[in-house]
Amino acid sequence: AGFIKSPLSQKRLTQDSVELYCEAIGNPIPEIQWWFEGNDPNETYAQLWDGARQDRVKINATYNLHSTSTISIANLTSDDSGMYECRASNDPDRNHLSKSPKVKWIRSQANVFVIERPEIKTHFSPVSDKLVLTCNMSGTYSSIKGHEWVHGDKVLHTDETDSAFTSYTIHGKVEEHSGMYECVYKTNPEIRGQVNISVAPQVIAYKKSEHGNEGDTGVLTCKNPSFPPVTTWTWYKNGQGVSAVNASGRYIIKSSGNKTELRILKLNIEEDTGDYRCNATNPYGSGDATVNLRVRSRLAALWPFLGIVAEVLVLVTIIFIYEKRRKPDEIPDGKRKSNATNHKDKNVRQRNAN
């Protein structure tokens, strides 16, 4: 047996997770085991298994052509620091209790250093038309090589200062810039703090006016682009909750996070035309938007076509009447010229005969 890939030593913060990878080849395919030795001088190697350490340890192994194994440890504590050892062997007697295996287990080791996570105090304050976001790392932490401010996948600001304090200013109103922002300390391992700008839902309708044909299904949609997500969506028609007027069962509401959809089955011109209001609620308040629904008759789509047909019929009728009323002795120019030419040729032939 031999290793193709060995686990790599890593640094992590408490509450983080770590993953180690090991890959071995041999014939027959070798078995892979994971062992651990802590930093305590009196501690000896102990085998790790899937579900160890109160189910924080997960081991996933596959044996196909060669052996691969991944060990992951979640919610790290300082006790998880130590030496992790990947062992591989394909000796038939490798796990025998009394026999010594002919081929010893081969071993590959990696250190995991779990560092106590420093506390980061975060804050944001609106000042006139500005939002000031701040992070301040408490306690001592060496080797800060800079900072980044991140929103989603976008890096908003970066610097190379070594200060435990960092800030970022946004120009605009709170409602326009809600969301989760992160201050990233360029350290090893990387340290992140989270600043949340939270507002009541800023609801907008996908379309302020929707059209549907009688008998079809109407779809009205509202969404909330702000943070935090909506906890409850409610639809109203003419001031009444849709669920209260849904005796016919034609109204279906589908809501998920920051989007809601009202479907109206078998649209009716008299009953379904009107204004619908979608209301969203989160821990910071509520917001709503209105959608106007217009229901058209099924024949409405035919009117443009019927109009074109009517115009064509009128034109054909006018042309037909005009042709009928033309005088019978009216001769087209082409025929008149042809007759004049024939008459001239006849006179010439008569003169030559004389």
Side-chain angles (χ1 to χ4, degrees), residues 185-198:
Y185 288 83
K186 296 179 183 178
T187 55
N188 184 23
E190 191 176 80
I191 302 171
R192 290 174 174 254
Q194 185 172 297
V195 184
N196 293 336
I197 300 179
S198 303

Side-chain angles (χ1 to χ4, degrees), residues 3-12 17-23 34 69-73 76 80 82-86 107-114 188:
F3 289 113
I4 303 176
K5 290 184 179 179
S6 298
L8 300 174
S9 295
Q10 299 180 47
K11 289 181 180 180
R12 288 290 185 270
S17 61
V18 69
E19 187 173 273
L20 301 172
Y21 182 79
C22 190
E23 193 170 341
W34 289 96
S69 184
T70 303
I71 183 171
S72 57
I73 306 159
L76 289 168
D80 295 319
M83 183 76 73
Y84 289 81
E85 190 172 82
C86 172
R107 306 178 182 192
S108 183
Q109 298 172 333
N111 274 304
V112 173
F113 304 95
V114 182
N188 184 23

Side-chain angles (χ1 to χ4, degrees), residues 120-135:
I120 298 178
K121 294 180 179 178
T122 63
H123 182 69
F124 100 90
S125 56
V127 181
S128 61
D129 284 338
K130 296 179 181 179
L131 305 173
V132 181
L133 286 63
T134 63
C135 285

Side-chain angles (χ1 to χ4, degrees), residues 58-346:
K58 299 292 181 185
I59 296 176
N60 183 31
T62 58
Y63 298 95
N64 183 18
L65 300 180
H66 56 272
S67 307
T68 62
S69 184
T70 303
I71 183 171
S72 57
I73 306 159
N75 197 19
L76 289 168
T77 70
S78 56
D79 292 336
D80 295 319
S81 289
M83 183 76 73
Y84 289 81
E85 190 172 82
C86 172
R87 297 183 181 182
S89 175
N90 57 1
D91 189 282
D93 298 324
R94 59 185 177 272
N95 292 317
H96 202 283
L97 296 177
S98 57
K99 287 185 180 180
S100 297
K102 297 175 184 175
V103 179
K104 292 183 178 180
W105 289 83
I106 60 171
R107 306 178 182 192
S108 183
Q109 298 172 333
N111 274 304
V112 173
F113 304 95
V114 182
I115 302 165
E116 194 69 32
R117 176 183 293 275
E119 183 184 357
I120 298 178
K121 294 180 179 178
T122 63
H123 182 69
F124 100 90
S125 56
V127 181
S128 61
D129 284 338
K130 296 179 181 179
L131 305 173
V132 181
L133 286 63
T134 63
C135 285
N136 192 11
M137 187 190 299
S138 61
T140 56
Y141 197 93
S142 60
S143 302
I144 298 174
K145 297 180 180 179
H147 313 85
E148 281 184 350
W149 281 90
V150 180
H151 179 48
D153 296 329
K154 186 178 180 181
V155 177
L156 305 172
H157 172 76
T158 184
D159 65 55
E160 296 181 357
T161 63
D162 60 357
S163 172
F165 176 86
T166 179
S167 67
Y168 177 68
T169 301
I170 301 172
H171 296 273
K173 296 180 180 179
V174 176
E175 292 78 13
E176 299 170 349
H177 298 282
S178 65
M180 292 188 298
Y181 295 80
E182 286 186 306
C183 55
V184 183
Y185 288 83
K186 296 179 183 178
T187 55
N188 184 23
E190 191 176 80
I191 302 171
R192 290 174 174 254
Q194 185 172 297
V195 184
N196 293 336
I197 300 179
S198 303
V199 297
Q202 309 296 301
V203 181
I204 57 175
Y206 182 70
K207 287 184 181 178
K208 292 184 179 180
S209 180
E210 287 281 2
H211 299 81
N213 294 324
E214 189 176 22
D216 289 349
T217 298
V219 181
L220 312 180
T221 306
C222 289
K223 57 184 179 180
N224 169 50
S226 58
F227 177 87
V230 174
T231 52
T232 306
W233 283 103
T234 311
W235 281 90
Y236 295 91
K237 182 192 176 188
N238 300 327
Q240 281 188 295
V242 163
S243 55
V245 296
N246 194 21
S248 61
R250 294 189 300 112
Y251 296 136
I252 300 173
I253 298 174
K254 293 184 178 180
S255 302
S256 58
N258 278 335
K259 183 180 178 182
T260 184
E261 186 179 87
L262 172 63
R263 289 179 175 267
I264 307 172
L265 308 178
K266 297 180 181 178
L267 287 172
N268 183 289
I269 294 178
E270 290 78 16
E271 294 180 16
D272 299 326
T273 300
D275 288 335
Y276 293 78
R277 183 166 58 90
C278 53
N279 178 274
T281 304
N282 71 11
Y284 294 85
S286 61
D288 54 37
T290 301
V291 185
N292 178 262
L293 175 63
R294 297 179 183 179
V295 183
R296 299 171 295 197
S297 168
R298 274 197 172 276
L299 296 176
L302 293 175
W303 290 124
F305 174 72
L306 293 175
I308 294 171
V309 171
E311 288 180 5
V312 171
L313 289 175
V314 169
L315 287 173
V316 170
T317 303
I318 292 171
I319 293 170
F320 179 76
I321 293 172
Y322 175 76
E323 290 292 336
K324 279 287 186 183
R325 295 184 65 180
R326 287 178 65 181
K327 294 178 181 180
D329 59 344
E330 283 185 354
I331 302 172
D333 290 344
K335 289 185 178 180
R336 187 179 290 123
K337 289 179 181 178
S338 177
N339 289 339
T341 303
N342 291 338
H343 183 68
K344 184 178 180 181
D345 290 345
K346 184 178 179 181

